[in-house]
Amino acid sequence: MFSDRQKPKAMNEIGGQPNRIEKNTKIKGDIISEADFRIDGKLDGNVKTSGKVVIGKDGYIHGKVECVNADIEGSFNGELLVSDLLSLKSSAVIEGTVSVSKLAVEPGATFNASCNMGDKKGGSNPAGFKAPNNGAAKAS
């Protein structure tokens, strides 16, 4: 048994560590996982997880991402389906289509996507929000 000092930090990831694609790594293909995922490299494919997806500052995904939460510092192009919170950092560049329950955007983020906001069932759009798709939108 671990003492309180030696006990590993509790995380939602299987085995206590997130899955990672490191910088300078390129992957083509689909990823399915129940754990959190961090992308610091390049992924050309789809990600489906019941956890959180983090795209680091140098990370890039081209494809479809389905997850519960997402934090994006890097670039994304494709279809993004987030059942809870999507957080865009100031360095984020998003293109494509986004479906999300909650959205947080830092000033400076580029959000060039059509966006549907609603509940987890994806049925309603209480805010009636649809981002214009006529150029990059800068949050400020």
Side-chain angles (χ1 to χ4, degrees):
M1 297 294 303
F2 290 105
S3 72
D4 285 339
R5 296 173 101 180
Q6 298 171 326
K7 210 179 259 185
K9 292 182 182 178
M11 299 176 84
N12 290 338
E13 301 85 11
I14 294 171
Q17 295 294 319
N19 293 298
R20 294 184 75 126
I21 296 175
E22 295 292 337
K23 188 175 178 180
N24 300 322
T25 300
K26 296 177 185 176
I27 294 181
K28 269 189 172 181
D30 298 337
I31 296 170
I32 299 172
S33 176
E34 293 182 14
D36 292 353
F37 229 96
R38 180 174 178 97
I39 312 284
D40 289 305
K42 311 270 186 262
L43 172 66
D44 188 3
N46 305 317
V47 178
K48 185 173 186 175
T49 179
S50 55
K52 180 179 192 176
V53 172
V54 176
I55 302 176
K57 193 166 186 160
D58 296 316
Y60 173 76
I61 295 178
H62 181 262
K64 180 177 182 179
V65 172
E66 296 178 73
C67 61
V68 175
N69 294 299
D71 286 348
I72 301 179
E73 293 179 82
S75 300
F76 176 83
N77 188 326
E79 184 178 4
L80 185 56
L81 306 169
V82 182
S83 62
D84 194 22
L85 175 65
L86 170 60
S87 179
L88 303 179
K89 306 302 182 189
S90 62
S91 56
V93 177
I94 308 299
E95 295 182 356
T97 60
V98 176
S99 180
V100 64
S101 180
K102 293 179 266 183
L103 178 64
V105 182
E106 285 185 0
T110 300
F111 189 76
N112 187 22
S114 61
C115 182
N116 181 32
M117 294 181 71
D119 59 17
K120 290 184 183 183
K121 296 174 187 130
S124 69
N125 186 0
F129 178 77
K130 177 115 172 150
N133 201 7
N134 58 357
K138 288 281 190 180
S140 51

